[in-house]
Amino acid sequence: HYFIQSNLRMNDVLLLGEEELRGFIAKQVGVDVLLAKQVSHVNKNKHESSVLALSRHRVILYNSRTRRVDYNINFLEVNSLTSGSCSTLSLSTEKVLIQLESTDIDPFIVQFFVLLSLSFPACQIRPNIIRFSPSLKWSLTAYKILPESRENRIISKVESLAESSDGEMTLLNTFRPAYEAFCDFYDISPLPLVVWIIEQVYYVQKRNVFNLQDFDHFPNGHILAALSTIKFIGWFKGIKSKDRKLNIEISQKIFALCRIYPSLNSLCLSGVGPQIGELLEVFNNADLKLTSLDISENSLDDKDAAVMCNGIYKLTGLQKLCLAGNNFTSRGLKMIVDSLKQVSCPSLVSLSLDRCTNIRPDGWACFLDLLCHCVSLQTLSLADTSIPLESIWTPLLHGCSSQLRELRISGTRFTAGKASVSPCYKKVNRFVVTCQELNCLDLSRCKLPLEILKLLLKGLSDNILLSDVTIDISSCELGVAGVRLLGSLVPSLSSISTLVVSSNEAEGELVALLAALHGNKGVRHLDISNNINRLREKDVFVKCLVSLVEDTENVLQTINISNMRLKAELEPFLACLAYNRKVVDLDISGNNISNTGARVLAQSLSVNKTIRKLALDNNQISLQGFRDLLAAFTLNSTLQSLVVPHQDITNSSRSNEIATLVHEMSRIVEKNNAPELEGDDILLHQQHFILNSAENLQLDSAVVGLYDNLTSAQGRRGDAFSNTKKEGLELLKEAEKCYQLMHLLHDKADQMRRNIYSSAADSSIYKQTAEKITEI
């Protein structure tokens, strides 16, 4: 057809019909054109013959005289649209004002609004403004059409042509078109995988916090496009970025959302780098409604605290605040506390100042006063700070002891002498006794005085309201005396479900502790690792451990005896696991059990039906030991998690062969995580089968779509449908083979990578191996 030639003269363009004109403009810009109209472009008081066109997401103005595209504008760039009559139209962006004249401009306006509604189904066209649901309170394009009767006719026409948006707006009908519009804005092609993650993960799992880590493997342009949709679809209530340095474009997009998106109530920007400073300025200029704020690990100092305080003062509904890992001093802490006292004390339920190491011990007085007013606080975390441990119990008693659920004060210290600490002993006991909701008490690395430990444990014993409490007193330098005290009180501690006593130099007293656990019916998770490095009678300890595990009344489900160097003495315990029906999580790393112990463990695992998680690294197991374990894994269908034994692989002279065996063991464990399915059950499983790689995700999306179509047509009769169904089922079987093939390819690539590690010194082998991986 002659009209798609690019060398037409101006007069030829003017003579084209509507269909020919659309084809011609489509050829110039490389996209489908939905509407094209001859107009006169008013430019510096001169009228130039032009063609005004609309594509799916763009306004295009083609200059018939110069035979070039003067403007190619995405809808999102249009700030306002004005039309005083049926023959005039003005479009403005931040950079340009386009004035047009034509015989009848209304069809263009109607089509523009219709396309806008299709890209953003949640939008509403109202007099003088295009806006979204009332909760968003944000406008995309302002417009003015005169007279009013003409405006009403145009709106009525648009509503009749566009899909109705009165129904419930969900991710399934709002994200995809908005994402495609923003991809056009950023001049990138939409990725089906991005849409799949939003629709099949976020929507199905009802996740309303946009986590940037879910999109780390995509280019920044697609992350920007996905982020940009948040303010248009109304689904997301929070944004999360953790340990990810934000570039300028993404950080500015997040800060822009903070300014204009009132539905945002959760913001986590942990370890995002220097861009955090701009967020603090946003606090002063935006009407935020945050209930959760995490700006930890950003090295904020007192100047940043001063800026931030003005924003915190406005957060009247703040419930969760995390400032861990920052560089505030006592001065900065006081400014933050003063802001919290004015607005957020009654509503605050979670507060974390972990690792704020620049605050002096005498600078916590203002914070302790704040605790007295935080009556709703449920989680308090002050790990690795200089707060005097003897000073927190009185504020907690006056404030939140009845509501507190988690208290994490690991790595803190009693700073005063014994005479000054003694008055707080009874307060510790009273605090524990008055707690009603406490379920986690982390005192690890606290160097507890024995009297404090005694009163704390006695308080847990006397409190009949508590249950399923986790207590961590690892690395507290309890020594023999402390563990002996713990053993004497353990039988009465029925409220404790998890007991962590690792790294306390307990030595022989662990035997007494294990004996005492016979009388405890509450402890289900026990960690006594790294405790008996110099113990001579290791066989006595193992005998007590075997007796405890074989006790029919014990309830132990998790046992951690790592880094005990028990060697061959551990074999009786490994043997008794064969027919144990209670232990589900086992960590025996760092015990040097060697190949002999591995064989005993393999014999137990071949018949054990309860262990779900296993860790056995650093045990001096060589190739034969892993062969025995692999043989046992093939007979075990219940093990679902294996901690990869990197240390044993690295230490062996035959690391490649061991790595292959371990990889096969991991494959078996992965297979155990998925139920065995046959026949039609496999098809049903496809709907919920979420894989990690991009290839598998795309294949899985196609399988789900095909299965949905077959299911929706269930019950139809006729030879045509029967043949189609048969063909569909054959395709699903082929998809299953594709899954298996992709797994084999990934296995081959993993093998090649292991070759790289073993031959890194030989550059030629390294290059050949890298090329093989690229081929796969």
Side-chain angles (χ1 to χ4, degrees), residues 656-722:
N656 280 348
E657 297 174 72
I658 293 178
T660 302
L661 295 175
V662 171
H663 182 72
E664 185 59 31
M665 291 161 60
S666 300
R667 284 289 310 280
I668 294 173
V669 168
E670 181 182 347
K671 182 180 177 182
N672 291 343
N673 278 311
E676 289 291 335
L677 301 173
E678 296 181 0
D680 292 339
D681 289 339
I682 294 178
L683 307 182
L684 181 62
H685 183 60
Q686 300 301 333
Q687 290 180 302
H688 308 287
F689 194 44
I690 299 175
L691 299 172
N692 293 324
S693 69
E695 300 91 343
N696 282 358
L697 286 172
Q698 291 174 343
L699 176 59
D700 189 55
S701 180
V703 168
V704 172
L706 176 56
Y707 179 72
D708 286 344
N709 291 337
L710 290 176
T711 303
S712 63
Q714 195 72 24
R716 295 185 181 180
R717 300 186 181 277
D719 294 338
F721 172 69
S722 297

Side-chain angles (χ1 to χ4, degrees), residues 67-229:
R67 291 184 294 175
R68 68 179 186 183
V69 176
D70 284 346
Y71 299 105
N72 190 344
I73 304 170
N74 186 281
F75 292 169
L76 295 164
E77 299 177 72
V78 178
N79 292 334
S80 67
L81 181 152
T82 305
S83 178
S85 68
C86 295
S87 60
T88 61
L89 174 68
S90 295
L91 295 172
S92 70
T93 69
E94 290 184 358
K95 298 180 179 179
V96 66
L97 173 64
I98 304 174
Q99 294 179 311
L100 305 170
E101 293 180 357
S102 180
T103 54
D104 185 10
I105 207 69
D106 287 0
F108 171 86
I109 298 175
V110 170
Q111 191 68 24
F112 175 81
F113 286 166
V114 168
L115 292 175
L116 202 58
S117 299
L118 293 177
S119 295
F120 305 101
C123 75
Q124 302 170 347
I125 300 175
R126 296 292 180 263
N128 298 325
I129 197 168
I130 298 175
R131 62 181 299 175
F132 296 84
S133 59
S135 61
L136 294 181
K137 299 178 182 177
W138 190 84
S139 64
L140 171 69
T141 302
Y143 72 92
K144 186 175 183 180
I145 299 175
L146 297 174
E148 185 176 344
S149 58
R150 174 171 166 248
E151 178 184 26
N152 293 334
R153 286 197 307 271
I154 289 177
I155 293 177
S156 177
K157 186 68 173 176
V158 170
E159 290 176 347
S160 65
L161 293 176
E163 295 179 1
S164 174
S165 60
D166 293 336
E168 181 183 2
M169 293 291 105
T170 68
L171 282 183
L172 294 181
N173 56 17
T174 58
F175 177 78
R176 183 191 296 269
Y179 169 68
E180 291 174 349
F182 276 102
C183 283
D184 183 90
F185 177 77
Y186 290 112
D187 197 22
I188 56 178
S189 299
L191 292 179
L193 191 54
V194 173
V195 178
W196 193 95
I197 290 174
I198 294 294
E199 294 182 351
Q200 300 298 327
V201 178
Y202 278 78
Y203 178 73
V204 171
Q205 298 180 10
K206 294 180 170 51
R207 292 165 54 181
N208 59 10
V209 175
F210 189 96
N211 190 346
L212 269 69
Q213 288 178 315
D214 295 334
F215 303 88
D216 270 349
H217 50 294
F218 296 118
N220 284 334
H222 291 279
I223 300 177
L224 281 171
L227 267 174
S228 300
T229 65

Side-chain angles (χ1 to χ4, degrees), residues 30 329 335 507 614:
T329 66
M335 289 187 286
E507 301 299 337
L614 176 65

Side-chain angles (χ1 to χ4, degrees), residues 432-458:
V432 178
V433 170
T434 56
C435 286
Q436 300 178 18
E437 303 289 341
L438 189 68
N439 57 32
C440 179
L441 183 57
D442 185 355
L443 295 164
S444 58
R445 298 179 288 111
C446 281
K447 196 175 181 179
L448 294 176
L450 289 184
E451 189 64 25
I452 289 283
L453 177 64
K454 179 179 178 180
L455 291 172
L456 188 148
L457 296 176
K458 197 171 185 312

Side-chain angles (χ1 to χ4, degrees), residues 370-610:
L370 173 70
L371 287 182
C372 295
H373 299 86
C374 294
V375 294
S376 300
L377 199 63
Q378 298 177 9
T379 300
L380 177 61
S381 190
L382 300 170
D384 297 306
T385 62
S386 61
I387 188 170
L389 200 53
E390 66 273 8
S391 63
I392 68 171
W393 310 104
T394 299
L396 290 176
L397 273 170
H398 286 87
C400 58
S401 62
S402 61
Q403 300 292 326
L404 195 65
R405 296 182 180 180
E406 297 184 18
L407 178 59
R408 302 182 182 276
I409 48 178
S410 59
T412 55
R413 291 287 187 270
F414 287 94
T415 58
K418 185 174 181 179
S420 301
V421 172
S422 297
C424 85
Y425 287 177
K426 293 183 179 180
K427 293 177 183 177
V428 173
N429 178 266
R430 186 181 168 195
F431 164 75
V432 178
V433 170
T434 56
C435 286
Q436 300 178 18
E437 303 289 341
L438 189 68
N439 57 32
C440 179
L441 183 57
D442 185 355
L443 295 164
S444 58
R445 298 179 288 111
C446 281
K447 196 175 181 179
L448 294 176
L450 289 184
E451 189 64 25
I452 289 283
L453 177 64
K454 179 179 178 180
L455 291 172
L456 188 148
L457 296 176
K458 197 171 185 312
L460 288 172
S461 176
D462 294 340
N463 192 329
I464 61 175
L465 298 176
L466 300 181
S467 61
D468 290 330
V469 178
T470 295
I471 180 168
D472 186 346
I473 48 176
S474 58
S475 303
C476 284
E477 302 181 22
L478 299 181
V480 173
V483 177
R484 183 185 300 122
L485 173 63
L486 177 61
S488 66
L489 295 173
V490 156
S492 61
L493 295 175
S494 59
S495 61
I496 295 180
S497 63
T498 302
L499 179 60
V500 183
V501 203
S502 61
S503 305
N504 271 301
E505 301 179 2
E507 301 299 337
E509 288 304 320
L510 277 182
V511 174
L513 177 60
L514 294 178
L517 284 170
H518 277 281
N520 185 291
K521 300 301 182 287
V523 177
R524 299 192 300 274
H525 312 284
L526 178 65
D527 183 351
I528 51 176
S529 59
N530 197 25
N531 261 313
I532 56 174
N533 295 338
R534 298 188 301 273
L535 181 65
R536 295 181 180 178
E537 298 179 353
K538 296 181 180 180
D539 57 334
V540 177
F541 167 78
V542 173
K543 184 177 179 180
C544 288
L545 184 60
V546 170
S547 175
L548 177 62
V549 170
E550 292 181 339
D551 185 353
T552 56
E553 296 184 359
N554 97 83
V555 293
L556 276 180
Q557 298 176 3
T558 302
I559 298 177
N560 186 343
I561 50 172
S562 60
N563 300 316
M564 304 280 267
R565 297 178 177 83
L566 295 171
K567 300 183 179 179
E569 283 86 348
L570 190 59
E571 291 175 13
F573 170 72
L574 300 177
C576 82
L577 294 172
Y579 299 100
N580 182 273
R581 295 293 178 266
K582 295 180 181 178
V583 176
V584 297
D585 188 342
L586 178 64
D587 188 344
I588 56 171
S589 304
N591 277 292
N592 301 340
I593 63 174
S594 71
N595 288 344
T596 305
R599 185 178 301 112
V600 176
L601 176 62
Q603 293 170 351
S604 295
L605 290 177
S606 63
V607 295
N608 183 279
K609 303 298 181 184
T610 56

